[in-house]
Amino acid sequence: MMRSFLQRNGWMLPSIGLLTVAFWPLISGARTLFLRDVFNLHLPLKIAQVQSWAEGRLPLIDLSRAGGQPLLANPNAVALYPDNLLYAVAPLYWAFNAHFWLHALLAPLAAYWLAREAQLDRGPAWLAGVSYGVSGFFLSQLNFYNLVAGVALAPAIVAALLRAQRFESAGESPRYGWVVASALTALLLFAGDPIVLVLTLVAAAVVAAALSGWSDAPNVRSLVPIAVAMLAAALLSAVQWVPFLETLQLSFRGHQGYGAAGALAASWDPRTLIEWFVPLAFGHPNLGFWGQAFHGGDLPLFFSLYPGALALTLVLCSGLPGREQGLPRVRCVGWLLVFAGLFVALGSANPVVRWATQLPGSGLLRFPVKAWLWVALGGSLLVGCGAQRALVDRQLRDLARAVGVVALLFLALAAGALQFSAGFDGWLEAQGVGGRAPEIRPRWIGLSLLGALIAGLVGCLARWTRPRVAASSLAALHVASQLLLLQPLFESDAVDAYSEEPKALAYTQAGERLVQGGVFELFGPHSASVAFPSRSLRWVQRRGWEELYPFAGIQFDRHYDLNVSPEGLDAFLTQMTAQAARSWNDARRIKLLQVLGVDALIVDRPLEPEGLASLRGEVENFGAVAYVYGLDPLPEVQLLEEIVRAPHLNASFEALLNPAFDPRRAVVVPGAGARVVVERAEGERPRGSVIDVRESGDRLEATVRAEAPSVLLVQRAHLGQYRASLDGEPVPVVAGNVSRVAVEVPPGVHEIVLWVPRTTVALGAAGLPLGALLCLWLVRRTEPSRSVA
């Protein structure tokens, strides 16, 4: 059996072996990915989730971030994806990185399946698979824990729906086809990004309609099983998306959205077309990236969209969509997906997309470049079509033309950079390369010549008479060249670098609430006097480890405030507080932190003026110094008698920042009316008190004695999900001190309970058996029929 398997599929092993070797440092557990959101957003979320499961709690709220923020309901946390089980049996960093390398190995197989369902031969289909799996687009997903799984699964979902629909349209039983499609779609809903789901289902509808025969003989009855399958997927994954919809409604993103400018962020700039020929043309994902001018002044969402010389050659070899030679439908579908993806990805450069951002609800969406998923899917099908024509149909003349055109484009680029060196260097300097033009131009020339060489090798290898040998060689060539040229996209660091305790840990205590001033530059830009050994971002992350950035401190039971995350699912008032603090001076920021009950501040410069807070210690790191300041600690739960009612947000901030405001005696809550002032002799204790506090994750119970109308203030973020009861009766949860949880309390001794209800989670979980019943109906609706080759 093994021999038979190797005979059928052994020619794929060189490519799979190369992928395994490339990701072996992650597979072995010796190294970890770290770029961008990997450490700065996703690792802290996973740590908080693992800690919740370890304590036997459902991870509804992440109490370690921004005063408490939604966790399970946040798709970016990917809290319910099946590979979370690895955290129960494996070390943190290994399980964390497994999510990336498992899907990196899965992606070529998923795209191969799609190409096979599109009726391509095995060799061309495998070339389609590897062109997808090692494209710059896919390898860029290794920066995003919440995207990589969905993008890896997308081709498999399209393939499953195409297969099931083809059987259905032919009047035969798809057997388990609809159930597989439903299960994969549910998995994609757990994978983290709703936009990837929508893009995948649209692509699946286009491919299935064009290739399954449904478009030739429309049949309304054939829509029933696909509708049931999608409903089953929605029910199976309802435990994820039902709480998410509630969170979205209550979040900053739901309140305000991103507006037209935010919705068009990360649009594809056509000027970056050069990156199709020069991998990482505008710099590596390290401190040397210089192409921000092409991405709205920021880093690109995806660092590379480089398809590779082989992919470009075989796409051209596939022919234009209007020609009817060989696999016309697959080719037309491929070009349709490519052009549709480019059309949407243009974003701000496309007047139609700009108009769409003015429609109601569009502010919830952003990053048009995510539509590159369609380009990648369509491009992989075109690569397969080109390989089919070259390796199977032996259209060698068309292949030679494609090789010639691609090679000439690469050579023309190299010749232009060489011949017009002065103008080229001037253009680079105008883009802000900071004197690095003499370094960049030779790199462009070298990579262009390498691309021409690879295109030539494609032409030579494709002439081999045995299609599978040629396909195996071409696939290995493509995988090797892509992994070599795009290695900076999955740059890793030694796990051992994060094994010792951070230096700043010595100046803080377990359970303290911290603010890391470097996170989102809450205390201004980072210090420029840092002497890193190289431009690699690994040194930035190692600095963050020593200076107790959230991904480091959370592992040691430190909690963080105002470290809101970019997906906009934080509490609205927390986001507004963080935004306001960025524009203030240090004195106002420190007063705000004291009011919010923050225990310590870590910042990479001295506070101005001196004396705003007590200095606990200094941490020297790469020639820079981080300063750890201690603030006057406040209890997490306070009963306050002096009440200031503010009619709007600005009035609340002004009241809090008034020098006379004492957070140990007073609290600001929404409303209008006279300030309640309680006169007490110097040193006299408040008349009311908190008798007892009992906490269990997202639930807090307090026994209080109030001698006058008071406010119970809890130093947690004011989330719309919180509910409260006073002596068993529901009472409103109000915003205390702008962004904290508060409950108004009448005189007397009372039991107050604050909790996050599990109603939406329970409602979502109820969908599991219903989804399973629909899957059972899909299996039993017809008798199994003969399989179709």
Side-chain angles (χ1 to χ4, degrees), residues 306-328:
Y306 177 65
L310 177 141
L312 290 172
T313 301
L314 292 180
V315 166
L316 285 182
C317 185
S318 70
L320 298 175
R323 299 175 65 184
E324 290 304 317
Q325 51 191 7
L327 297 174

Side-chain angles (χ1 to χ4, degrees), residues 152-457:
L153 289 170
I157 292 172
V158 178
L161 288 169
L162 171 59
R163 179 177 180 82
Q165 187 61 48
R166 178 182 287 119
F167 274 80
E168 197 73 36
S169 297
E172 302 183 27
S173 169
R175 304 185 72 177
Y176 294 98
W178 289 120
V179 175
V180 172
S182 180
L184 288 172
T185 305
L187 204 59
L188 182 52
L189 275 161
F190 286 123
D193 192 87
I195 296 176
V196 171
L197 171 71
V198 172
L199 293 170
T200 300
L201 293 182
V202 171
V206 171
V207 172
L211 302 182
S212 68
W214 177 37
S215 58
D216 293 335
N219 184 352
V220 175
R221 291 186 61 186
S222 67
L223 295 177
V224 173
I226 191 172
V228 173
M230 294 300 98
L231 177 59
L235 290 170
L236 290 172
S237 57
V239 69
Q240 174 73 78
W241 62 262
V242 171
F244 163 66
L245 291 178
E246 179 193 39
T247 297
L248 180 63
Q249 180 184 5
L250 299 171
S251 67
F252 171 82
R253 193 167 182 173
H255 273 85
Q256 185 164 315
Y258 288 105
L264 294 172
S267 298
W268 177 61
D269 190 327
R271 292 176 296 175
T272 63
L273 189 67
I274 192 70
E275 214 265 334
W276 288 14
F277 299 92
V278 181
L280 299 171
F282 306 108
H284 291 186
N286 54 31
L287 299 183
F289 189 88
W290 55 269
Q292 286 92 335
F294 304 117
H295 302 280
D298 205 349
L299 294 175
L301 182 67
F302 303 135
F303 269 119
S304 177
L305 297 174
Y306 177 65
L310 177 141
L312 290 172
T313 301
L314 292 180
V315 166
L316 285 182
C317 185
S318 70
L320 298 175
R323 299 175 65 184
E324 290 304 317
Q325 51 191 7
L327 297 174
R329 284 196 175 186
V330 179
R331 186 170 60 240
C332 287
V333 168
W335 283 112
L336 175 62
L337 288 174
V338 167
F339 286 130
L342 291 173
F343 182 83
V344 177
L346 282 169
S348 58
N350 186 333
V352 176
V353 178
R354 288 203 308 270
W355 168 80
T357 60
Q358 308 299 323
L359 298 176
S362 62
L364 298 176
L365 305 174
R366 58 176 181 164
F367 300 149
V369 77
K370 287 184 179 180
W372 209 267
L373 176 63
W374 291 346
V375 179
L377 289 171
S380 69
L381 289 175
L382 292 175
V383 167
C385 289
Q388 184 89 3
R389 299 186 69 241
L391 302 182
V392 179
D393 300 337
R394 307 305 290 170
Q395 300 287 337
L396 298 181
R397 181 173 297 178
D398 285 346
L399 174 64
R401 291 195 189 101
V403 169
V405 170
V406 171
L408 283 174
L409 287 173
F410 278 109
L411 292 174
L413 180 61
L418 187 62
Q419 179 68 26
F420 304 103
S421 58
F424 186 87
D425 289 354
W427 178 78
L428 287 176
E429 293 293 346
Q431 307 308 315
V433 299
R436 294 176 54 209
E439 169 192 339
I440 294 171
R441 182 167 54 86
R443 177 176 175 271
W444 278 35
I445 294 172
L447 290 173
S448 300
L449 293 174
L450 180 60
L453 174 62
I454 294 173
L457 288 174

Side-chain angles (χ1 to χ4, degrees), residues 585-665:
N585 59 31
D586 284 356
R588 291 169 67 89
R589 290 168 178 152
I590 291 299
K591 180 63 182 290
L592 174 67
L593 300 190
Q594 291 173 334
V595 168
L596 296 179
V598 173
D599 298 298
L601 165 68
I602 305 174
V603 67
D604 60 359
R605 59 171 177 78
L607 293 176
E608 299 176 359
E610 296 182 5
L612 291 175
S614 60
L615 182 65
R616 290 184 179 181
E618 300 178 6
V619 175
E620 187 172 352
N621 202 21
F622 298 108
V625 177
Y627 300 85
V628 184
Y629 290 96
L631 306 178
D632 294 332
L634 292 174
E636 182 182 6
V637 182
Q638 296 172 272
L639 188 68
L640 301 164
E641 298 172 340
E642 293 189 11
I643 303 172
V644 181
R645 300 193 182 276
H648 50 76
L649 194 59
N650 287 338
S652 298
F653 281 130
E654 290 305 315
L656 290 176
L657 299 175
N658 190 311
F661 183 83
D662 182 357
R664 295 184 176 278
R665 301 179 54 162

Side-chain angles (χ1 to χ4, degrees), residues 8 40 108 183 354 451 453 461 530 542 599 625 659 774-775 778:
R8 292 195 309 270
N40 297 330
R354 288 203 308 270
L453 174 62
L461 293 174
V530 183
R542 291 190 185 187
D599 298 298
V625 177
L774 289 180
C775 288
L778 287 169

Side-chain angles (χ1 to χ4, degrees), residues 385-706:
C385 289
Q388 184 89 3
R389 299 186 69 241
L391 302 182
V392 179
D393 300 337
R394 307 305 290 170
Q395 300 287 337
L396 298 181
R397 181 173 297 178
D398 285 346
L399 174 64
R401 291 195 189 101
V403 169
V405 170
V406 171
L408 283 174
L409 287 173
F410 278 109
L411 292 174
L413 180 61
L418 187 62
Q419 179 68 26
F420 304 103
S421 58
F424 186 87
D425 289 354
W427 178 78
L428 287 176
E429 293 293 346
Q431 307 308 315
V433 299
R436 294 176 54 209
E439 169 192 339
I440 294 171
R441 182 167 54 86
R443 177 176 175 271
W444 278 35
I445 294 172
L447 290 173
S448 300
L449 293 174
L450 180 60
L453 174 62
I454 294 173
L457 288 174
V458 171
C460 295
L461 293 174
R463 288 182 175 273
W464 288 15
T465 56
R466 298 178 61 187
R468 288 192 180 179
V469 176
S472 179
S473 302
L474 288 170
L477 170 67
H478 185 58
V479 170
S481 60
Q482 289 291 101
L483 293 177
L484 176 65
L485 295 173
L486 298 178
Q487 186 279 329
L489 295 178
F490 51 95
E491 187 175 358
S492 61
D493 197 5
V495 170
D496 288 345
Y498 307 98
S499 59
E500 297 184 2
E501 289 190 353
K503 296 177 182 177
L505 194 71
Y507 303 109
T508 64
Q509 298 179 13
E512 282 194 322
R513 297 187 291 274
L514 314 180
V515 161
Q516 224 305 342
V519 178
F520 301 113
E521 300 186 344
L522 286 170
F523 274 70
H526 286 292
S527 169
S529 58
V530 183
F532 291 123
S534 71
R535 291 200 300 264
S536 172
L537 276 175
R538 69 165 55 92
W539 304 112
V540 177
Q541 298 297 356
R542 291 190 185 187
R543 177 190 179 189
W545 174 264
E546 299 295 354
E547 296 179 4
L548 220 57
Y549 270 49
F551 77 89
I554 291 173
Q555 299 184 49
F556 297 95
D557 192 29
R558 272 58 172 177
H559 298 176
Y560 288 79
D561 246 307
L562 300 184
N563 57 324
V564 293
S565 57
E567 82 276 340
L569 293 179
D570 297 281
F572 173 75
L573 292 173
T574 303
Q575 281 268 5
M576 298 305 295
T577 301
Q579 286 185 12
R582 293 189 188 100
S583 62
W584 293 344
N585 59 31
D586 284 356
R588 291 169 67 89
R589 290 168 178 152
I590 291 299
K591 180 63 182 290
L592 174 67
L593 300 190
Q594 291 173 334
V595 168
L596 296 179
V598 173
D599 298 298
L601 165 68
I602 305 174
V603 67
D604 60 359
R605 59 171 177 78
L607 293 176
E608 299 176 359
E610 296 182 5
L612 291 175
S614 60
L615 182 65
R616 290 184 179 181
E618 300 178 6
V619 175
E620 187 172 352
N621 202 21
F622 298 108
V625 177
Y627 300 85
V628 184
Y629 290 96
L631 306 178
D632 294 332
L634 292 174
E636 182 182 6
V637 182
Q638 296 172 272
L639 188 68
L640 301 164
E641 298 172 340
E642 293 189 11
I643 303 172
V644 181
R645 300 193 182 276
H648 50 76
L649 194 59
N650 287 338
S652 298
F653 281 130
E654 290 305 315
L656 290 176
L657 299 175
N658 190 311
F661 183 83
D662 182 357
R664 295 184 176 278
R665 301 179 54 162
V667 61
V668 177
V669 295
R675 172 173 179 162
V676 177
V677 179
V678 178
E679 297 292 340
R680 288 197 295 266
E682 185 176 351
E684 181 184 355
R685 298 173 60 86
R687 292 174 294 175
S689 63
V690 177
I691 300 173
D692 184 36
V693 176
R694 302 167 297 282
E695 290 188 72
S696 177
D698 50 69
R699 184 180 179 88
L700 183 145
E701 301 176 9
T703 305
V704 302
R705 177 185 292 107

